[in-house]
Amino acid sequence: MRSHLLNDTTAESYRRSVTEGVERVARKLATTRGPFTGVTPAELAPVIDAVDLDRPLGDASAALDELEDVYLRDAVYFHHPRYLGHLNCPVVIPAVLGEAVLSAVNSSLDTWDQSAGATLIERKLVDWTTARIGFGPDADGVFTSGGSQSNLQALLLAREEAGTADLSKLRIFSSECSHFSVQKSAGLLGLGQEAVLSIPVDENRRMQSVVLAAELEACRAEGLVPMAIVATAGTTDFGSIDPLPEIAALAEEYGAWMHVDAAYGCGLLTSLKRRHLLDGIERADSVTVDYHKSFFQPVSSSALLVRDGAALRHATYHADYLNPRRTVAEQIPNQVDKSLQTTRRFDALKLWMTLRVMGADGVGELFDEVCDLARAGHDLLAADPRYDVVVEPQLSTLVYRYVPEAAASPAEIDRANLHARKALFASGEAVVAGTKVDGRQYLKFTLLNPETTVADIAAVLDLIAGHAEQYLGENLVHA
Ligand SMILES: *Cc1c(COP(=O)(O)O)cnc(C)c1O
Protein backbone atom coordinates (compact mmCIF):
# COMPACT_ATOMS: atom_id res chain seq x y z
CA MET A 1 0.00 0.00 0.00
CA ARG A 2 2.96 2.30 0.47
CA SER A 3 3.22 2.51 -3.29
CA HIS A 4 0.18 4.81 -3.17
CA LEU A 5 1.85 7.37 -0.93
CA LEU A 6 3.16 10.41 -2.74
CA ASN A 7 6.86 10.71 -1.94
CA ASP A 8 10.39 10.56 -3.35
CA THR A 9 10.12 6.92 -4.41
CA THR A 10 6.71 7.24 -6.09
CA ALA A 11 7.24 10.41 -8.09
CA GLU A 12 7.10 8.47 -11.37
CA SER A 13 3.82 6.74 -10.50
CA TYR A 14 2.39 10.12 -9.45
CA ARG A 15 3.32 11.60 -12.82
CA ARG A 16 1.77 8.67 -14.72
CA SER A 17 -1.39 8.56 -12.66
CA VAL A 18 -2.13 12.27 -12.73
CA THR A 19 -1.26 12.49 -16.42
CA GLU A 20 -3.73 9.72 -17.15
CA GLY A 21 -6.41 11.59 -15.22
CA VAL A 22 -5.62 14.80 -17.08
CA GLU A 23 -5.80 12.91 -20.40
CA ARG A 24 -9.26 11.60 -19.60
CA VAL A 25 -10.60 14.98 -18.61
CA ALA A 26 -9.01 16.60 -21.67
CA ARG A 27 -10.68 14.02 -23.91
CA LYS A 28 -13.97 14.60 -22.14
CA LEU A 29 -13.74 18.37 -22.59
CA ALA A 30 -12.96 17.92 -26.27
CA THR A 31 -15.91 15.63 -26.91
CA THR A 32 -18.81 16.85 -24.73
CA ARG A 33 -21.76 17.69 -26.94
CA GLY A 34 -23.84 19.56 -24.38
CA PRO A 35 -23.54 20.92 -20.88
CA PHE A 36 -25.40 17.90 -19.47
CA THR A 37 -26.71 14.48 -20.43
CA GLY A 38 -30.10 14.97 -18.77
CA VAL A 39 -29.57 11.99 -16.49
CA THR A 40 -32.04 11.73 -13.61
CA PRO A 41 -31.17 10.92 -9.99
CA ALA A 42 -33.17 7.69 -10.38
CA GLU A 43 -31.05 6.65 -13.35
CA LEU A 44 -27.72 7.47 -11.77
CA ALA A 45 -28.35 6.23 -8.23
CA PRO A 46 -28.15 2.50 -9.07
CA VAL A 47 -24.87 3.02 -10.95
CA ILE A 48 -23.31 4.55 -7.86
CA ASP A 49 -25.05 2.10 -5.52
CA ALA A 50 -23.49 -0.78 -7.42
CA VAL A 51 -19.98 0.31 -6.48
CA ASP A 52 -18.66 -1.72 -3.54
CA LEU A 53 -16.37 0.62 -1.62
CA ASP A 54 -14.94 -2.32 0.30
CA ARG A 55 -13.63 -3.90 -2.90
CA PRO A 56 -10.98 -1.53 -4.22
CA LEU A 57 -9.87 -1.77 -7.83
CA GLY A 58 -6.25 -1.35 -6.82
CA ASP A 59 -5.36 0.45 -9.98
CA ALA A 60 -5.81 4.05 -11.13
CA SER A 61 -6.71 3.16 -14.72
CA ALA A 62 -9.53 0.91 -13.58
CA ALA A 63 -10.77 3.53 -11.14
CA LEU A 64 -10.74 6.12 -13.94
CA ASP A 65 -12.71 3.76 -16.18
CA GLU A 66 -15.29 3.46 -13.44
CA LEU A 67 -15.25 7.21 -12.89
CA GLU A 68 -16.38 7.67 -16.46
CA ASP A 69 -19.64 5.90 -15.54
CA VAL A 70 -20.21 7.28 -12.09
CA TYR A 71 -19.21 10.89 -12.70
CA LEU A 72 -17.53 12.16 -15.84
CA ARG A 73 -20.16 11.08 -18.34
CA ASP A 74 -23.06 12.80 -16.61
CA ALA A 75 -21.37 15.74 -14.90
CA VAL A 76 -22.69 19.24 -15.53
CA TYR A 77 -20.01 20.97 -17.60
CA PHE A 78 -19.61 24.68 -16.99
CA HIS A 79 -17.16 25.10 -19.86
CA HIS A 80 -19.90 24.37 -22.39
CA PRO A 81 -21.21 27.56 -24.03
CA ARG A 82 -24.80 26.53 -23.38
CA TYR A 83 -24.38 26.23 -19.64
CA LEU A 84 -26.18 29.42 -18.61
CA GLY A 85 -27.39 28.36 -15.19
CA HIS A 86 -26.02 29.40 -11.84
CA LEU A 87 -23.03 31.54 -10.91
CA ASN A 88 -20.49 28.95 -12.04
CA CYS A 89 -17.66 29.90 -14.30
CA PRO A 90 -15.51 28.04 -16.76
CA VAL A 91 -12.05 27.89 -15.17
CA VAL A 92 -8.78 29.24 -16.53
CA ILE A 93 -5.94 26.81 -17.12
CA PRO A 94 -3.32 28.59 -14.95
CA ALA A 95 -5.70 28.21 -11.98
CA VAL A 96 -6.22 24.51 -12.66
CA LEU A 97 -2.46 24.14 -12.77
CA GLY A 98 -2.26 25.88 -9.41
CA GLU A 99 -4.91 23.49 -8.09
CA ALA A 100 -2.84 20.47 -9.13
CA VAL A 101 0.25 21.89 -7.43
CA LEU A 102 -1.45 22.93 -4.21
CA SER A 103 -3.13 19.59 -3.61
CA ALA A 104 0.08 17.64 -4.22
CA VAL A 105 2.20 19.80 -1.92
CA ASN A 106 -0.80 20.04 0.43
CA SER A 107 0.24 23.05 2.49
CA SER A 108 -2.15 24.07 5.23
CA LEU A 109 -2.55 27.77 5.69
CA ASP A 110 -3.29 27.81 9.40
CA THR A 111 0.26 28.28 10.62
CA TRP A 112 3.57 29.31 9.17
CA ASP A 113 5.13 26.00 10.19
CA GLN A 114 2.66 24.18 7.89
CA SER A 115 2.81 26.54 4.96
CA ALA A 116 5.86 28.84 4.91
CA GLY A 117 5.90 30.66 1.54
CA ALA A 118 2.25 29.88 0.94
CA THR A 119 1.31 32.18 3.82
CA LEU A 120 3.27 35.02 2.27
CA ILE A 121 1.73 34.39 -1.16
CA GLU A 122 -1.76 34.50 0.36
CA ARG A 123 -0.88 37.72 2.19
CA LYS A 124 0.41 39.30 -0.99
CA LEU A 125 -2.82 38.42 -2.81
CA VAL A 126 -4.87 39.84 0.07
CA ASP A 127 -2.85 43.06 -0.23
CA TRP A 128 -3.29 43.05 -3.99
CA THR A 129 -7.05 42.73 -3.61
CA THR A 130 -7.35 45.41 -0.91
CA ALA A 131 -5.33 47.79 -3.11
CA ARG A 132 -7.75 47.13 -6.00
CA ILE A 133 -10.65 47.86 -3.64
CA GLY A 134 -8.99 51.11 -2.67
CA PHE A 135 -8.41 50.32 1.01
CA GLY A 136 -5.46 51.97 2.77
CA PRO A 137 -2.34 50.48 4.38
CA ASP A 138 -4.18 49.17 7.46
CA ALA A 139 -6.27 46.79 5.39
CA ASP A 140 -6.05 43.03 5.72
CA GLY A 141 -8.04 39.91 5.03
CA VAL A 142 -8.00 36.18 4.65
CA PHE A 143 -9.00 33.57 2.10
CA THR A 144 -12.17 31.63 2.92
CA SER A 145 -14.13 28.67 1.60
CA GLY A 146 -16.68 30.86 -0.16
CA GLY A 147 -18.88 33.92 -0.07
CA SER A 148 -21.16 32.47 2.59
CA GLN A 149 -18.25 32.05 4.97
CA SER A 150 -16.87 35.48 4.09
CA ASN A 151 -20.25 37.05 4.85
CA LEU A 152 -20.51 35.14 8.12
CA GLN A 153 -17.10 36.34 9.24
CA ALA A 154 -17.85 39.93 8.19
CA LEU A 155 -21.01 39.93 10.29
CA LEU A 156 -19.14 38.35 13.21
CA LEU A 157 -16.70 41.27 13.12
CA ALA A 158 -19.60 43.71 12.83
CA ARG A 159 -21.34 42.13 15.83
CA GLU A 160 -18.21 42.42 17.96
CA GLU A 161 -17.53 45.99 16.83
CA ALA A 162 -21.11 47.00 17.67
CA GLY A 163 -20.08 46.74 21.33
CA THR A 164 -23.51 45.76 22.63
CA ALA A 165 -23.90 42.81 24.93
CA ASP A 166 -27.64 42.65 24.33
CA LEU A 167 -27.79 40.77 21.02
CA SER A 168 -31.56 41.21 20.81
CA LYS A 169 -30.98 44.92 20.09
CA LEU A 170 -28.80 44.40 17.01
CA ARG A 171 -30.18 44.90 13.51
CA ILE A 172 -28.73 44.16 10.08
CA PHE A 173 -29.98 45.93 6.95
CA SER A 174 -29.75 44.39 3.51
CA SER A 175 -31.81 44.58 0.35
CA GLU A 176 -34.56 42.11 -0.41
CA CYS A 177 -32.28 40.83 -3.20
CA SER A 178 -29.31 40.16 -0.90
CA HIS A 179 -27.87 36.67 -0.56
CA PHE A 180 -29.54 34.26 1.87
CA SER A 181 -26.26 33.80 3.73
CA VAL A 182 -27.03 37.13 5.43
CA GLN A 183 -30.05 35.58 7.17
CA LYS A 184 -28.18 32.34 7.84
CA SER A 185 -25.29 34.26 9.39
CA ALA A 186 -27.63 36.24 11.62
CA GLY A 187 -28.99 32.94 12.88
CA LEU A 188 -25.54 31.47 13.47
CA LEU A 189 -24.40 34.62 15.26
CA GLY A 190 -27.19 34.35 17.79
CA LEU A 191 -29.16 37.32 16.48
CA GLY A 192 -31.94 35.33 14.86
CA GLN A 193 -32.95 35.71 11.23
CA GLU A 194 -35.49 38.34 12.30
CA ALA A 195 -32.59 40.69 13.07
CA VAL A 196 -32.21 41.18 9.31
CA LEU A 197 -34.40 43.96 7.95
CA SER A 198 -35.10 43.61 4.25
CA ILE A 199 -34.93 46.90 2.40
CA PRO A 200 -37.00 47.11 -0.79
CA VAL A 201 -35.30 47.56 -4.16
CA ASP A 202 -36.04 49.95 -7.01
CA GLU A 203 -37.06 48.87 -10.53
CA ASN A 204 -33.41 48.09 -11.26
CA ARG A 205 -33.26 45.82 -8.20
CA ARG A 206 -30.96 48.14 -6.27
CA MET A 207 -31.50 48.88 -2.60
CA GLN A 208 -33.64 52.00 -2.10
CA SER A 209 -31.37 54.16 0.01
CA VAL A 210 -34.25 56.47 0.92
CA VAL A 211 -36.04 53.57 2.58
CA LEU A 212 -32.77 52.47 4.19
CA ALA A 213 -32.37 55.94 5.70
CA ALA A 214 -35.91 55.84 7.11
CA GLU A 215 -35.40 52.34 8.55
CA LEU A 216 -32.12 53.38 10.18
CA GLU A 217 -33.85 56.35 11.76
CA ALA A 218 -36.69 54.15 13.03
CA CYS A 219 -34.14 51.69 14.42
CA ARG A 220 -32.39 54.44 16.35
CA ALA A 221 -35.70 55.89 17.58
CA GLU A 222 -36.65 52.47 19.01
CA GLY A 223 -33.38 52.29 20.92
CA LEU A 224 -32.08 49.48 18.70
CA VAL A 225 -28.52 49.24 17.35
CA PRO A 226 -27.88 49.33 13.57
CA MET A 227 -25.09 46.76 13.63
CA ALA A 228 -24.42 46.42 9.92
CA ILE A 229 -25.58 47.40 6.47
CA VAL A 230 -24.91 44.77 3.82
CA ALA A 231 -24.69 46.29 0.36
CA THR A 232 -24.68 43.80 -2.48
CA ALA A 233 -22.38 44.54 -5.42
CA GLY A 234 -23.85 42.11 -7.88
CA THR A 235 -27.02 40.47 -6.59
CA THR A 236 -27.23 36.76 -7.23
CA ASP A 237 -30.44 37.07 -9.21
CA PHE A 238 -29.98 40.28 -11.18
CA GLY A 239 -26.34 41.30 -10.92
CA SER A 240 -27.62 44.65 -9.66
CA ILE A 241 -25.29 46.82 -7.60
CA ASP A 242 -26.63 48.69 -4.60
CA PRO A 243 -25.86 52.47 -4.44
CA LEU A 244 -22.55 52.16 -2.59
CA PRO A 245 -21.77 55.87 -1.99
CA GLU A 246 -25.23 56.56 -0.53
CA ILE A 247 -25.04 53.48 1.66
CA ALA A 248 -21.52 54.42 2.82
CA ALA A 249 -22.76 57.86 3.87
CA LEU A 250 -25.63 56.33 5.85
CA ALA A 251 -23.35 53.77 7.48
CA GLU A 252 -21.09 56.60 8.64
CA GLU A 253 -24.01 58.68 9.89
CA TYR A 254 -25.53 55.84 11.92
CA GLY A 255 -22.29 54.22 13.03
CA ALA A 256 -23.12 50.95 11.30
CA TRP A 257 -20.56 48.53 9.89
CA MET A 258 -20.70 48.62 6.10
CA HIS A 259 -20.19 45.27 4.43
CA VAL A 260 -20.11 44.98 0.66
CA ASP A 261 -21.00 41.54 -0.62
CA ALA A 262 -19.14 41.55 -3.94
CA ALA A 263 -19.15 37.77 -4.28
CA TYR A 264 -20.36 38.17 -7.84
CA GLY A 265 -19.32 41.71 -8.77
CA CYS A 266 -15.70 41.35 -7.65
CA GLY A 267 -14.66 40.68 -11.25
CA LEU A 268 -15.16 44.42 -11.77
CA LEU A 269 -11.99 44.97 -9.72
CA THR A 270 -10.08 43.91 -12.85
CA SER A 271 -12.45 45.32 -15.46
CA LEU A 272 -11.02 47.75 -17.98
CA LYS A 273 -14.44 49.20 -18.83
CA ARG A 274 -16.61 48.95 -15.75
CA ARG A 275 -14.50 49.41 -12.61
CA HIS A 276 -16.48 52.58 -11.84
CA LEU A 277 -19.55 50.48 -11.04
CA LEU A 278 -17.81 49.67 -7.74
CA ASP A 279 -17.11 53.29 -6.83
CA GLY A 280 -17.73 53.68 -3.10
CA ILE A 281 -16.59 50.15 -2.23
CA GLU A 282 -13.43 51.67 -0.72
CA ARG A 283 -15.58 53.18 2.04
CA ALA A 284 -16.73 49.74 3.23
CA ASP A 285 -15.52 48.20 6.48
CA SER A 286 -15.42 44.76 4.88
CA VAL A 287 -15.80 43.21 1.46
CA THR A 288 -16.59 39.66 0.28
CA VAL A 289 -15.05 38.54 -3.01
CA ASP A 290 -15.60 35.18 -4.70
CA TYR A 291 -12.75 34.57 -7.08
CA HIS A 292 -14.56 31.34 -7.95
CA LYS A 293 -17.31 33.36 -9.59
CA SER A 294 -15.99 36.22 -11.66
CA PHE A 295 -12.23 35.54 -11.62
CA PHE A 296 -12.69 32.19 -13.41
CA GLN A 297 -11.16 30.21 -10.54
CA PRO A 298 -12.02 26.64 -9.54
CA VAL A 299 -14.12 26.18 -6.39
CA SER A 300 -13.14 27.14 -3.72
CA SER A 301 -11.54 30.53 -3.86
CA SER A 302 -12.93 33.41 -1.88
CA ALA A 303 -11.76 36.06 0.54
CA LEU A 304 -12.91 38.48 3.19
CA LEU A 305 -11.14 41.84 3.12
CA VAL A 306 -11.33 44.44 5.87
CA ARG A 307 -10.42 48.13 5.82
CA ASP A 308 -8.90 47.93 9.32
CA GLY A 309 -6.99 44.69 9.81
CA ALA A 310 -7.22 45.04 13.59
CA ALA A 311 -10.88 44.00 13.35
CA LEU A 312 -9.79 40.48 12.45
CA ARG A 313 -8.73 39.99 16.10
CA HIS A 314 -12.35 39.05 16.81
CA ALA A 315 -11.62 35.75 15.07
CA THR A 316 -8.44 35.13 17.09
CA TYR A 317 -7.95 32.50 19.76
CA HIS A 318 -4.58 31.31 20.98
CA ALA A 319 -4.13 27.57 21.46
CA ASP A 320 -0.96 26.21 23.02
CA TYR A 321 -0.73 23.43 20.45
CA LEU A 322 -1.10 25.65 17.40
CA ASN A 323 -0.61 29.39 17.69
CA PRO A 324 0.53 30.16 21.24
CA ARG A 325 0.50 33.79 22.35
CA ARG A 326 4.30 34.06 22.13
CA THR A 327 4.10 33.62 18.32
CA VAL A 328 2.54 37.09 18.11
CA ALA A 329 5.52 38.68 19.90
CA GLU A 330 7.85 36.60 17.71
CA GLN A 331 6.06 37.97 14.64
CA ILE A 332 5.40 34.55 13.20
CA PRO A 333 2.73 34.98 10.52
CA ASN A 334 -0.02 32.55 11.47
CA GLN A 335 -3.05 33.04 9.23
CA VAL A 336 -5.21 31.00 11.62
CA ASP A 337 -5.29 34.10 13.83
CA LYS A 338 -7.53 35.69 11.18
CA SER A 339 -9.59 32.73 10.04
CA LEU A 340 -12.71 30.82 11.07
CA GLN A 341 -11.11 27.68 9.65
CA THR A 342 -8.13 25.79 11.03
CA THR A 343 -6.71 23.42 8.41
CA ARG A 344 -7.15 25.43 5.24
CA ARG A 345 -6.40 24.93 1.55
CA PHE A 346 -3.84 27.03 -0.27
CA ASP A 347 -6.53 28.28 -2.65
CA ALA A 348 -4.61 31.52 -3.13
CA LEU A 349 -2.13 29.69 -5.35
CA LYS A 350 -4.73 29.44 -8.12
CA LEU A 351 -5.17 33.18 -8.22
CA TRP A 352 -1.40 33.63 -8.01
CA MET A 353 -0.83 31.44 -11.07
CA THR A 354 -3.65 33.23 -12.89
CA LEU A 355 -2.17 36.66 -12.25
CA ARG A 356 1.36 35.51 -13.05
CA VAL A 357 0.30 33.96 -16.38
CA MET A 358 -2.60 36.11 -17.59
CA GLY A 359 -2.41 39.21 -15.46
CA ALA A 360 -5.34 41.08 -13.94
CA ASP A 361 -6.21 42.68 -17.28
CA GLY A 362 -6.63 39.21 -18.73
CA VAL A 363 -9.23 38.36 -16.10
CA GLY A 364 -10.94 41.73 -16.55
CA GLU A 365 -11.11 41.25 -20.31
CA LEU A 366 -12.94 37.94 -19.87
CA PHE A 367 -15.39 39.43 -17.38
CA ASP A 368 -16.02 42.45 -19.61
CA GLU A 369 -16.78 40.06 -22.48
CA VAL A 370 -19.57 38.33 -20.55
CA CYS A 371 -20.98 41.69 -19.42
CA ASP A 372 -20.99 42.84 -23.06
CA LEU A 373 -22.68 39.59 -24.02
CA ALA A 374 -25.39 40.22 -21.44
CA ARG A 375 -26.11 43.61 -23.01
CA ALA A 376 -26.43 42.01 -26.44
CA GLY A 377 -28.65 39.29 -24.94
CA HIS A 378 -30.82 41.97 -23.36
CA ASP A 379 -31.30 43.68 -26.72
CA LEU A 380 -32.31 40.32 -28.19
CA LEU A 381 -34.84 39.66 -25.43
CA ALA A 382 -36.25 43.19 -25.50
CA ALA A 383 -36.92 42.87 -29.25
CA ASP A 384 -38.49 39.41 -28.97
CA PRO A 385 -42.29 39.49 -28.50
CA ARG A 386 -42.18 35.99 -26.97
CA TYR A 387 -40.28 37.30 -23.95
CA ASP A 388 -40.60 39.73 -21.11
CA VAL A 389 -37.20 40.78 -19.71
CA VAL A 390 -36.86 42.31 -16.25
CA VAL A 391 -33.86 44.62 -15.91
CA GLU A 392 -31.05 45.98 -18.02
CA PRO A 393 -28.01 44.04 -16.87
CA GLN A 394 -25.27 45.82 -14.93
CA LEU A 395 -23.21 42.61 -14.88
CA SER A 396 -23.87 39.39 -16.76
CA THR A 397 -27.32 38.20 -15.68
CA LEU A 398 -30.56 38.20 -17.68
CA VAL A 399 -33.92 37.54 -16.03
CA TYR A 400 -36.84 36.98 -18.36
CA ARG A 401 -39.91 34.88 -18.94
CA TYR A 402 -41.75 33.41 -21.87
CA VAL A 403 -45.13 35.06 -22.49
CA PRO A 404 -47.51 33.39 -24.94
CA GLU A 405 -49.28 35.26 -27.69
CA ALA A 406 -52.59 33.62 -26.81
CA ALA A 407 -54.34 34.53 -23.59
CA ALA A 408 -53.12 32.49 -20.61
CA SER A 409 -53.54 32.95 -16.89
CA PRO A 410 -50.52 34.09 -14.84
CA ALA A 411 -50.43 30.66 -13.19
CA GLU A 412 -50.35 28.94 -16.59
CA ILE A 413 -47.50 31.17 -17.71
CA ASP A 414 -45.64 30.31 -14.50
CA ARG A 415 -46.09 26.61 -15.16
CA ALA A 416 -45.05 26.93 -18.80
CA ASN A 417 -41.80 28.66 -17.83
CA LEU A 418 -41.04 26.14 -15.11
CA HIS A 419 -41.79 23.31 -17.51
CA ALA A 420 -39.50 24.82 -20.15
CA ARG A 421 -36.63 25.02 -17.69
CA LYS A 422 -37.09 21.41 -16.59
CA ALA A 423 -37.54 20.10 -20.12
CA LEU A 424 -34.40 21.89 -21.25
CA PHE A 425 -32.42 20.40 -18.37
CA ALA A 426 -33.77 16.94 -19.14
CA SER A 427 -32.76 17.33 -22.79
CA GLY A 428 -29.22 18.29 -21.76
CA GLU A 429 -29.08 20.77 -24.64
CA ALA A 430 -28.70 23.77 -22.36
CA VAL A 431 -28.90 24.62 -18.67
CA VAL A 432 -30.68 27.75 -17.48
CA ALA A 433 -31.67 28.88 -13.99
CA GLY A 434 -34.95 30.11 -12.59
CA THR A 435 -36.15 32.54 -9.98
CA LYS A 436 -39.25 34.35 -8.81
CA VAL A 437 -39.87 38.01 -9.53
CA ASP A 438 -42.73 39.62 -7.62
CA GLY A 439 -44.10 36.15 -7.00
CA ARG A 440 -44.03 35.02 -10.64
CA GLN A 441 -41.84 32.35 -12.20
CA TYR A 442 -38.98 33.72 -14.29
CA LEU A 443 -35.98 32.21 -16.02
CA LYS A 444 -32.41 33.34 -15.74
CA PHE A 445 -29.19 33.25 -17.72
CA THR A 446 -26.06 33.78 -15.67
CA LEU A 447 -23.47 34.46 -18.36
CA LEU A 448 -19.93 33.71 -17.24
CA ASN A 449 -18.57 31.97 -20.29
CA PRO A 450 -16.90 34.23 -22.86
CA GLU A 451 -17.30 31.37 -25.36
CA THR A 452 -21.08 31.75 -25.28
CA THR A 453 -22.27 33.74 -28.29
CA VAL A 454 -25.37 35.78 -29.06
CA ALA A 455 -26.30 32.94 -31.43
CA ASP A 456 -26.18 30.51 -28.47
CA ILE A 457 -28.53 32.77 -26.53
CA ALA A 458 -30.89 33.02 -29.51
CA ALA A 459 -30.86 29.25 -29.97
CA VAL A 460 -31.60 28.59 -26.30
CA LEU A 461 -34.47 31.12 -26.39
CA ASP A 462 -35.94 29.20 -29.32
CA LEU A 463 -35.64 25.94 -27.39
CA ILE A 464 -37.34 27.47 -24.35
CA ALA A 465 -40.16 28.91 -26.43
CA GLY A 466 -40.61 25.52 -28.09
CA HIS A 467 -40.93 23.71 -24.74
CA ALA A 468 -43.25 26.37 -23.33
CA GLU A 469 -45.48 26.38 -26.43
CA GLN A 470 -45.69 22.61 -26.41
CA TYR A 471 -46.67 22.65 -22.76
CA LEU A 472 -49.39 25.25 -23.26
CA GLY A 473 -50.63 23.45 -26.38
CA GLU A 474 -51.01 20.18 -24.47
CA ASN A 475 -52.70 21.99 -21.60
CA LEU A 476 -55.27 23.45 -23.95
CA VAL A 477 -56.03 20.01 -25.35
CA HIS A 478 -56.60 18.61 -21.86
CA ALA A 479 -58.54 21.64 -20.63
C1 LIG B 1 -22.74 33.21 -4.47
C2 LIG B 1 -23.01 34.32 -3.56
C3 LIG B 1 -22.72 34.20 -2.19
C4 LIG B 1 -22.29 32.91 -1.58
O1 LIG B 1 -21.03 32.51 -2.00
P1 LIG B 1 -20.60 30.97 -1.94
O2 LIG B 1 -19.22 31.03 -2.46
O3 LIG B 1 -21.55 30.22 -2.80
O4 LIG B 1 -20.68 30.56 -0.51
C5 LIG B 1 -22.89 35.32 -1.40
N1 LIG B 1 -23.34 36.46 -1.92
C6 LIG B 1 -23.66 36.61 -3.21
C7 LIG B 1 -24.17 37.92 -3.71
C8 LIG B 1 -23.50 35.53 -4.09
O5 LIG B 1 -23.84 35.66 -5.37
Side-chain angles (χ1 to χ4, degrees):
M1 283 302 127
R2 289 197 186 184
S3 66
H4 293 295
L5 290 171
L6 178 53
N7 57 36
D8 53 342
T9 64
T10 57
E12 188 48 42
S13 140
Y14 157 67
R15 184 178 292 128
R16 228 181 311 112
S17 191
V18 173
T19 304
E20 196 186 341
V22 169
E23 292 286 354
R24 305 259 187 147
V25 175
R27 216 175 305 148
K28 198 80 222 165
L29 294 175
T31 56
T32 45
R33 294 277 162 261
F36 185 44
T37 59
V39 72
T40 64
E43 284 162 352
L44 206 47
V47 180
I48 289 168
D49 268 353
V51 173
D52 185 348
L53 293 177
D54 292 318
R55 284 169 168 269
L57 299 165
D59 162 66
S61 297
L64 282 168
D65 286 343
E66 183 183 84
L67 197 65
E68 174 66 23
D69 293 333
V70 299
Y71 176 54
L72 291 175
R73 188 185 56 225
D74 295 302
V76 178
Y77 285 100
F78 304 149
H79 74 281
H80 194 279
R82 296 202 179 171
Y83 178 83
L84 312 169
H86 300 282
L87 268 166
N88 310 106
C89 53
V91 293
V92 290
I93 297 169
V96 177
L97 174 59
E99 183 77 64
V101 173
L102 75 92
S103 60
V105 180
N106 200 30
S107 299
S108 179
L109 273 277
D110 36 345
T111 55
W112 171 259
D113 65 1
Q114 304 175 67
S115 62
T119 284
L120 300 181
I121 287 176
E122 171 167 305
R123 288 188 164 199
K124 194 169 168 93
L125 287 165
V126 163
D127 291 345
W128 178 86
T129 308
T130 60
R132 289 253 160 189
I133 289 170
F135 283 162
D138 295 335
D140 199 359
V142 69
F143 273 63
T144 69
S145 63
S148 303
Q149 191 189 357
S150 297
N151 285 349
L152 172 64
Q153 183 165 1
L155 290 172
L156 166 70
L157 305 184
R159 185 190 74 182
E160 297 304 298
E161 291 286 320
T164 303
D166 186 355
L167 298 187
S168 71
K169 282 197 157 35
L170 299 178
R171 293 293 177 271
I172 299 168
F173 302 80
S174 71
S175 96
E176 56 183 318
C177 294
S178 64
H179 194 258
F180 76 148
S181 54
V182 176
Q183 278 80 4
K184 282 197 187 185
S185 298
L188 285 165
L189 292 168
L191 312 180
Q193 298 185 0
E194 320 75 56
V196 182
L197 300 179
S198 244
I199 307 298
V201 293
D202 62 18
E203 69 282 4
N204 291 315
R205 311 289 149 173
R206 305 164 78 224
M207 190 194 288
Q208 293 189 31
S209 49
V210 174
V211 181
L212 173 65
E215 290 287 340
L216 283 163
E217 192 53 42
C219 176
R220 184 191 267 171
E222 286 171 52
L224 301 171
V225 179
M227 174 188 116
I229 306 171
V230 178
T232 312
T235 57
T236 313
D237 262 354
F238 303 97
S240 48
I241 298 170
D242 288 338
L244 303 179
E246 281 102 311
I247 292 171
L250 287 167
E252 280 156 25
E253 185 180 341
Y254 287 88
W257 181 277
M258 177 180 176
H259 176 62
V260 175
D261 179 358
Y264 176 13
C266 60
L268 294 174
L269 293 171
T270 60
S271 165
L272 303 173
K273 296 185 187 172
R274 298 177 169 81
R275 170 62 181 81
H276 63 275
L277 292 175
L278 290 179
D279 285 353
I281 194 173
E282 71 286 351
R283 293 165 72 184
D285 293 292
S286 57
V287 174
T288 286
V289 299
D290 262 2
Y291 307 105
H292 62 217
K293 283 180 179 160
S294 47
F295 275 67
F296 307 94
Q297 301 292 295
V299 176
S300 328
S301 186
S302 178
L304 172 69
L305 296 317
V306 293
R307 186 168 46 157
D308 177 9
L312 291 171
R313 73 185 181 285
H314 299 304
T316 310
Y317 187 89
H318 291 287
D320 292 337
Y321 53 80
L322 191 63
N323 58 338
R325 225 166 259 287
R326 65 164 171 79
T327 57
V328 178
E330 291 170 12
Q331 294 193 318
I332 297 170
N334 288 332
Q335 291 293 81
V336 74
D337 293 349
K338 309 171 186 178
S339 176
L340 301 185
Q341 293 167 268
T342 308
T343 305
R344 190 162 55 83
R345 291 165 52 84
F346 181 24
D347 287 317
L349 183 62
K350 298 180 282 195
L351 180 59
W352 178 269
M353 293 300 283
T354 302
L355 295 181
R356 297 311 295 142
V357 176
M358 297 168 57
D361 289 355
V363 174
E365 197 179 304
L366 294 178
F367 192 56
D368 274 331
E369 279 187 52
V370 294
C371 295
D372 290 343
L373 178 67
R375 295 222 61 96
H378 181 266
D379 292 347
L380 204 64
L381 277 160
D384 190 334
R386 298 171 301 176
Y387 288 98
D388 165 34
V389 58
V390 182
V391 291
E392 276 187 39
Q394 278 191 291
L395 298 181
S396 63
T397 300
L398 294 168
V399 181
Y400 60 91
R401 71 189 316 216
Y402 170 80
V403 280
E405 226 178 317
S409 72
E412 279 170 328
I413 301 177
D414 281 352
R415 284 196 290 273
N417 278 280
L418 195 57
H419 169 83
R421 180 188 175 195
K422 288 182 180 170
L424 197 60
F425 190 65
S427 77
E429 287 188 272
V431 179
V432 306
T435 192
K436 290 250 169 102
V437 178
D438 304 327
R440 303 259 66 110
Q441 182 66 50
Y442 275 74
L443 301 175
K444 177 166 84 157
F445 292 154
T446 313
L447 304 171
L448 280 178
N449 190 345
E451 291 293 319
T452 302
T453 61
V454 180
D456 284 313
I457 294 178
V460 174
L461 289 175
D462 285 343
L463 290 171
I464 291 169
H467 288 302
E469 277 157 21
Q470 188 191 356
Y471 177 84
L472 288 170
E474 282 166 15
N475 256 21
L476 277 186
V477 171
H478 298 293

